[in-house]
Structures are given as C-alpha cells and as structure tokens.
Amino acid sequence: MDIKLSNLTKIFKDSKGRETRAVDHFDTLIPNGKLIGLLGPSGCGKSTTLYMIAGLLTPTEGRIFFGDDDVTDLTPEKRGIGLVFQNYALYPHMTVRQNIMFPLENLKIEKEEAKIMTEDMARLVGIHELLDRKPAQLSGGQQQRVAIARALVKKPKVLLLDEPLSNLDARLRLQTREEIKRIQKETGITTIFVTHDQEEAMSISDEIVVMNFGLEQQKGEPQVVYDQPNNQFVAKFLGTPPIGLFNGTVKGNKLYIGESAILTNKILEKTQGEVIVGIRPEGYTPSESGALEISYSFIESIGRDISLVSNHPESLTPSFRLIVADTIKVTPNSMKFNVKKEKCFVFNKDNGERVL
Amino acid sequence: MLEKKKDYHAWLYLLIPLALLSLFTFFPLFKTILISFDNGYNKWQDAFSFAFSLDSYKAIFNYPPFLRTLWNTVLIVFISVPLSTIVALLIAVALNSIKPLQKIFQSIFFLPYVTNTIAIGMVFAVLFNLHTGLINGVLQLFGVEKLNWINSNDGFFMGSYFRRMFVLQLYLLWHTLAFKILVFIGGLQNISKQYYDAAKVDSAPKTRVFTKITVPLLSPLIAFILITSFIGAFKTYDAVIGIFGADWNKTADIQTIVGFVYQQLKTDSVDSYSKGAAAAVVLFVIILAFTAINLYVSKKRVHY
C-alpha cells in the first residue's frame, strides 16, 4: 500500500498567536513495502509529518492517502498503523507480554490466538525469553524491540518509527539498525522512520526524503541523493565528514576558487559571477601540478584513510576535512590537489540551487 | 572527635521536638492505655488502682451507645471513603481532559478544602432544614412531601436515622473530594502523554485506557489517598457536630467513636474516663490494623 501525502501543512500556534509552519505544503509518495527514511535537522518538520501520518496530529491543510483511501480524518486507531515512539512509551506497569498483547486485547482477538501471535512476534524480534519481565528490567535495545513487537503484532499496514535509534549507544545502534532492516524485510511492511542522523538513514533506507523548513528538499535512493544533491542544503546535510564549501567565481566556462581555476565546463557559461562551490572530502587528488593549494593544521588518522583538517581563505567554514588514502605521502603544512569533477558541485549563491 | 560532637549537636536539636512529643503525645498515649486497662481508675482523684483487667473493654462492648457509634464509624469509613475516591478520580480525569476553564473548575472544586468544617456543616443543616431548607423546597416541586433530614432520632432504617446518615455521608463526600481531586490532578499531569498516544495507536477504547493505563499509573497516589482517607474517616467527629449540633442527647444515634470518647469527658459517672480510654484504644487498634492491611494490599497491587 502506497502512502501519499498531498499538500500537507501543519501550522502550530503558540499562546500569543504566533504561527510556526512546521510542515509547509509537503508532497511525497511513499511506495509500498519500502523502508523510507525521513531525514532532516531538528525542527525541520519530520516528526510532525510522522505524527500526522499516525493521526496523532491533525493537518492544518492537505490530505493523507493510504493507497486510495483518504485517511486524513480517521483517528489513529482506525488507520491500522504501528508506531514506535522515540522513548518507546512501553507501559511500565505491564510485563513485556502484556505490553505486546495490549493492542490485540483492544481488537478483541481471542485470548489463545493473541497469546500465539504475541509469542511469534516476540520470537521475530528476538525477545521471547524476556516475556515476563517488566520494561524497567530491560536494556535500551531490548525495550526498543518490545516497542517494535508491540507496533507490529496487530499486523499494521504501515510501521512508523520516531528516531528509533537515538536512545541507544553506538554499538547497539549499529546492531539495531540491521535488526530493523531485517524485520522490515521479513514482514514486507511499508516503513517510515524519522531521523536526524544521515548515516543511519542512508545505511538502511531504500529511499530517503531529505526535509528542511517543512519542505521536501530531495527524495531518492541514498547514493543518488548523495552523488547528485539538488541544492546546497542537501549537499551539506549528507556525508561525514561534511562537504567543504567555498566562495567561487565563474568566468566564461571556468570555475575559480580564489585565483585557482579548478574546473572547466560548458554548462557554467550560463552562470557568471559569484557562486558557492562544494567539494566532497573524498574529491581531492594530490598532484604536484594541482590547481588548488590547501594548507592543513593537523592530520587525523582514521584507520584506512587519512583525514586532513584543512583551511583555505575562500572556505565558508574555518576548517574542513579532506580524505586521502594513507598511501599518499603527505608533505608538511600544505599540498596541491586536483578536484574530481564528479565530487564537485556548484550552487547559486542566492538560493542554493545546484548549477553544476 | 568530630563525629561525637556531631552526635551531641543532633541530640540537642532533637531535644525540643522530643520534649514536646513526650509531653503531648507519648505521655497521653501511655496514660490512656493505662487508664483503659486499670481496674478502678478514679477520674476525680486521678488515682490508679494498679490492678489490670479488661473490664472497661467488656463494659463498652456491652454498652449499646458505644456499639452504635462503632457501627456509624464503620458505615462512614466504608461508604464515604471509597465513594469519594472514585468520584474524585472521575472528576480529576474529566478536569484533566478539558482545556478551557480548567483552572477555574479546579479552584471551585478546591474551595471546600479551605472552608471551615463546622461552618459548612451549618450550611448543610440550613440546606436540609425541615421547613425552610432548599432541598425540601426542591423536593416539593416534584411532589415529595417535606422530609425531616436533620432533627429527631426516631426509627432506624428508612426512618430519620437513614436520612441523617445520608446527609452526613453526602457532606463527607463533598468535603473530602477537594483534596483528593487536587492530588489526582497533580498525578495525572505527571503521566507522560506518550502513554496515551501509544494507547490511541493501540486502539484502546476510553474505558480500557482508564482502567489499564490511568488507574495503574496513578495507583501509588490512589493508595496514598485511600490510606490517609481511611484514617481520617475513622476519626470523623467535627462533621457530625457541624450538621447536627453538639448536644449528645440529640445526636447519640449518629455519633462516631471520637464523639463517644468526647462524651465520656462530660458525664458524671466515675468510670467514664475508663470507658472513653477503652474506646480510644479500640479505635487506635482498628486504625492500626486497618492501615497494616492497606499497606499489605497496596504492596501487591500498586505499581511504583
């Protein structure tokens, strides 16, 4: 079942009548059976969107469709969704079994059948030996799985996860995100999850939707969005270490950073004057005759590669990182580089739209 | 060295409260117990015989006015406390679910708590007055003849005793609601909204949300309210005086154990202090046992 958001808008009003547009005419289509990451910085409207899909928030404007059905005016219990809250919201006074069975009891499913469904679900998420414990006796990762089991046990049409990994430590996070991917594949359920962690979103999503200011910035497969960002925001938001941004100028078909001409491309002829240049950290090739001279303050060894903490007079940030293979002989203080053209993006200085 | 000095300081600070407690709590408690067991305590001379027996206890348990007050107290405890707790819980949940005017309603419901028991009792007496009371006035509109709610003490069930007990219970219900509502609203506002959102997503009907989520999450407060209210209800006295007046002869049928104890201070008979002391000890033991049972039950039923 596809999920379609059409013209979705949510305006919050505070007590003084000031308006905040959390979600602003948001349109998107979430295809059936896919795992979709809603990605964006805090305050970009991604959680608001999720809660509107869940039915816990009412849209100010716009419609939500599950398949062909308009569910905008349905209450959460009638939408057939499973929701995993950021801090799980497990009922503290119930055992794991009672927590998972709770939705089934509400749907008046026969007790014996509910018991079997609960145990099957517990086995699927790998917590069947913890069924008689209380949530307080479980670790964060186990609570997370109970929450997923509770959301999935009633066989919802959509699974929604709100920052599902944010309460877990780094190691557990890796493990749990694989787990979520596995459970999603096994059940084939359309899943939407919200995160501000681009690495998390990119690693498990079939598609990501990058949001900012309540608007969709770009949607697509993670690698495509990374390789072909629509605008400066998307380019900046995806990737660790983040992309390096520079003031640049276009003269004729040449792109300059400071005095150095780093690229030549015919498309640039349409855009003359000042632009913003973004270069991915891995987009530099050391070369003695390189166009761009970059000085660096120190070297971080990150195992396989070397990360140079660099600075440049035209950089928009005080420092940026570039990554080179550790086989490269690093000379002290500064080096010359050529720029890989597929790792270099040019953006309009005024609106951040991609030019090249 | 330092430790010892601290010890000495602690005792110094404790001295004043300990002295006051000894004088006004421990000594009277001890003496009351002693009087209740003494075989021939003379209240005029404050003289003990120092021969101990259960005579005073046998005496009060064979004394109908005491048994009547015991019965009244039990009725008050087992009707007004559960009833007011349930009603307070429902009102608190209702208040908590409305947004506009919530503060105003909260204030209105809290008013009985800050008003004087005797004064409100007198207001009830006026409301239920035979000739001029509002209640009888309203009843008359529906064709019911005037009922004697407050005065006269003839008859038992369905007689005026029943009506007097009804007024008393109604008064206690209304008067004890305020504090309970306040506590419950505080507790409800502490329950994370996420549980309710989760319940919505889990398709829980409203009644199940109340019984399966609200009540268990509120259970520590419910236990606290029940235990303190039971203790308070066992000690009911001023409400009776407020509504029905302080004349023992006119209120003996509706009085409580505490009322009986007070009455023993006023009578002329030489053994009245022994009876009063025995009644006070009986009340003390009942409350102690009851609270112990309460704590035992709540340990099993309360989710902290």
Side-chain angles (χ1 to χ4, degrees):
Chain A
M1 187 191 61
D2 299 344
I3 297 169
K4 202 172 99 193
L5 308 181
S6 149
N7 204 20
L8 201 64
T9 302
K10 179 69 187 178
I11 298 169
F12 289 109
K13 273 190 186 156
D14 67 9
S15 53
K16 285 174 189 144
R18 277 181 303 219
E19 288 186 352
T20 314
R21 271 177 188 272
V23 178
D24 196 0
H25 301 286
F26 183 42
D27 284 293
T28 200
L29 181 83
I30 289 150
N32 183 28
K34 288 279 164 64
L35 177 60
I36 304 293
L38 268 184
L39 178 63
S42 38
C44 75
K46 57 193 188 302
S47 287
T48 307
T49 305
L50 193 81
Y51 285 113
M52 283 195 282
I53 298 173
L56 292 170
L57 286 175
T58 320
T60 313
E61 225 182 286
R63 314 302 296 175
I64 300 164
F65 297 91
F66 285 4
D68 294 327
D69 305 327
D70 185 342
V71 298
T72 319
D73 301 319
L74 291 186
T75 49
E77 58 266 31
K78 292 199 179 117
R79 293 196 187 190
I81 47 139
L83 176 60
V84 176
F85 289 84
Q86 185 167 1
N87 42 12
Y88 317 138
L90 298 176
Y91 310 119
H93 55 285
M94 296 185 195
T95 62
V96 170
R97 189 190 304 276
Q98 289 166 329
N99 262 288
I100 301 175
M101 266 176 85
F102 189 66
L104 299 177
E105 289 165 354
N106 292 333
L107 296 171
K108 302 219 162 67
I109 287 169
E110 216 183 304
K111 199 148 194 192
E112 285 307 308
E113 201 189 333
K115 260 185 189 164
I116 294 166
M117 288 169 82
T118 302
E119 272 162 29
D120 287 350
M121 191 46 68
R123 216 161 285 129
L124 175 73
V125 300
I127 46 153
H128 50 281
E129 69 282 356
L130 306 171
L131 277 172
D132 293 312
R133 297 217 195 148
K134 291 267 176 76
Q137 296 166 305
L138 304 180
S139 71
Q142 290 166 335
Q143 288 185 22
Q144 160 78 283
R145 291 177 205 198
V146 177
I148 293 177
R150 186 179 68 181
L152 283 178
V153 73
K154 57 185 174 182
K155 308 251 184 292
K157 290 175 274 183
V158 187
L159 177 63
L160 307 171
L161 303 136
D162 185 13
E163 303 262 3
L165 307 174
S166 61
N167 285 351
L168 305 177
D169 64 47
R171 187 180 290 260
L172 206 53
R173 199 175 291 195
L174 274 178
Q175 196 188 330
T176 311
R177 78 186 190 199
E178 285 160 21
E179 199 77 344
I180 291 176
K181 183 80 191 164
R182 177 184 67 82
I183 295 167
Q184 194 268 335
K185 268 199 174 147
E186 266 177 49
T187 53
I189 185 172
T190 310
T191 304
I192 305 173
F193 85 104
V194 154
T195 179
H196 61 269
D197 184 337
Q198 50 93 18
E199 198 189 328
E200 193 176 300
M202 291 181 73
S203 60
I204 64 169
S205 307
D206 294 320
E207 275 186 35
I208 57 173
V209 178
V210 184
M211 285 184 79
N212 198 23
F213 306 121
L215 284 168
E216 177 182 305
Q217 303 289 326
Q218 195 170 351
K219 183 176 150 217
E221 286 173 31
Q223 197 59 45
V224 174
V225 178
Y226 181 79
D227 289 339
Q228 299 295 334
N230 274 348
N231 57 39
Q232 194 181 323
F233 172 79
V234 176
K236 213 167 83 182
F237 196 72
L238 295 186
T240 18
I243 195 166
L245 293 170
F246 305 88
N247 285 313
T249 37
V250 176
K251 283 176 204 155
N253 58 3
K254 283 197 165 65
L255 174 66
Y256 292 86
I257 292 178
E259 297 300 312
S260 342
I262 59 162
L263 271 181
T264 310
N265 193 317
K266 260 195 163 173
I267 300 169
L268 287 172
E269 282 173 7
K270 283 181 273 175
T271 329
Q272 296 296 312
E274 292 186 3
V275 289
I276 302 287
V277 183
I279 306 171
R280 291 279 183 213
E282 66 275 22
Y284 301 88
T285 343
S287 160
E288 292 203 356
S289 59
L292 195 60
E293 180 160 7
I294 290 171
S295 53
Y296 40 87
S297 45
F298 57 93
I299 300 166
E300 292 171 342
S301 180
I302 47 172
R304 197 161 35 90
D305 297 320
I306 291 171
S307 159
L308 304 174
V309 181
S310 318
N311 46 64
H312 188 275
E314 296 299 329
S315 169
L316 295 186
T317 47
S319 72
F320 57 94
R321 284 178 169 77
L322 51 92
I323 291 174
V324 290
D326 63 355
T327 49
I328 303 289
K329 204 169 164 240
V330 179
T331 56
N333 300 327
S334 81
M335 271 174 88
K336 284 186 168 174
F337 294 93
N338 278 322
V339 174
K340 296 176 189 162
K341 66 175 192 297
E342 72 276 11
K343 293 289 180 188
C344 176
F345 314 111
V346 180
F347 304 104
N348 186 310
K349 189 163 182 145
D350 299 321
N351 59 17
E353 289 301 313
R354 174 110 177 263
V355 179
L356 176 70
Chain B
M1 188 66 195
L2 201 69
E3 290 287 312
K4 275 215 163 148
K5 205 174 173 186
K6 265 186 186 165
D7 265 9
Y8 157 76
H9 271 279
W11 282 110
L12 196 70
Y13 294 137
L14 279 171
L15 203 62
I16 297 169
L18 274 177
L20 291 173
L21 275 174
S22 308
L23 191 63
F24 293 110
T25 305
F26 301 139
F27 170 68
L29 190 68
F30 180 71
K31 190 169 176 186
T32 303
I33 294 172
L34 213 60
I35 292 173
S36 77
F37 284 107
D38 197 274
N39 220 350
Y41 175 73
N42 185 326
K43 76 173 186 184
W44 308 119
Q45 283 149 17
D46 193 16
F48 288 94
S49 71
F50 292 107
F52 300 110
S53 74
L54 292 173
D55 284 357
S56 307
Y57 292 92
K58 280 180 198 151
I60 57 168
F61 278 106
N62 286 316
Y63 186 52
F66 171 75
L67 295 176
R68 184 65 174 266
T69 60
L70 183 62
W71 162 252
N72 286 337
T73 307
V74 168
L75 268 190
I76 287 168
V77 167
F78 287 100
I79 295 176
S80 84
V81 174
L83 196 65
S84 71
T85 306
I86 291 167
V87 173
L89 192 58
L90 294 175
I91 292 178
V93 169
L95 271 182
N96 197 42
S97 65
I98 57 167
K99 278 215 177 89
L101 302 179
Q102 192 192 357
K103 293 274 175 240
I104 293 172
F105 278 117
Q106 238 168 291
S107 310
I108 292 172
F109 279 111
F110 194 60
L111 274 180
Y113 189 69
V114 290
T115 41
N116 180 285
T117 316
I118 302 287
I120 301 294
M122 289 162 94
V123 171
F124 262 68
V126 172
L127 277 176
F128 284 96
N129 185 286
L130 173 60
H131 302 294
T132 58
L134 181 70
I135 305 296
N136 272 345
V138 172
L139 282 178
Q140 265 188 315
L141 291 179
F142 294 98
V144 181
E145 62 177 297
K146 283 182 177 176
L147 290 170
N148 199 342
W149 293 97
I150 305 289
N151 306 112
S152 104
N153 47 10
D154 56 315
F156 192 62
F157 284 110
M158 302 312 290
S160 75
Y161 170 76
F162 183 79
R163 290 196 289 273
R164 280 152 72 88
M165 186 49 93
F166 174 79
V167 174
L168 182 60
Q169 297 277 10
L170 192 69
Y171 169 89
L172 287 169
L173 167 69
W174 179 76
H175 190 253
T176 53
L177 271 182
F179 181 69
K180 294 183 177 119
I181 293 173
L182 187 82
V183 171
F184 286 149
I185 284 186
L188 287 172
Q189 282 167 351
N190 265 336
I191 298 178
S192 164
K193 197 182 158 283
Q194 280 215 323
Y195 296 128
Y196 292 106
D197 281 346
K200 258 189 221 165
V201 174
D202 289 344
S203 328
K206 281 217 165 95
T207 46
R208 261 178 78 81
V209 172
F210 180 74
T211 55
K212 294 280 172 181
I213 293 170
T214 305
V215 170
L217 290 177
L218 217 52
S219 58
L221 277 183
I222 295 174
F224 161 75
I225 282 290
L226 275 179
I227 291 171
T228 52
S229 308
F230 274 130
I231 295 173
F234 272 117
K235 297 192 293 189
T236 306
Y237 170 63
D238 46 1
V240 180
I241 303 297
I243 305 170
F244 305 104
D247 185 347
W248 174 261
N249 294 325
K250 285 185 181 166
T251 59
D253 67 319
I254 196 85
Q255 264 299 357
T256 59
I257 298 182
V258 176
F260 177 84
V261 174
Y262 272 113
Q263 176 55 23
Q264 298 315 306
L265 293 172
K266 297 183 202 155
T267 56
D268 288 338
S269 68
V270 71
D271 64 340
S272 74
Y273 278 23
S274 304
K275 275 196 220 157
V281 172
V282 166
L283 181 62
F284 175 74
V285 170
I286 292 175
I287 293 178
L288 198 68
F290 202 79
T291 306
I293 294 168
N294 264 330
L295 286 174
Y296 177 76
V297 172
S298 60
K299 226 175 230 165
K300 293 194 154 175
R301 299 291 298 265
V302 170
H303 310 281
Y304 287 103

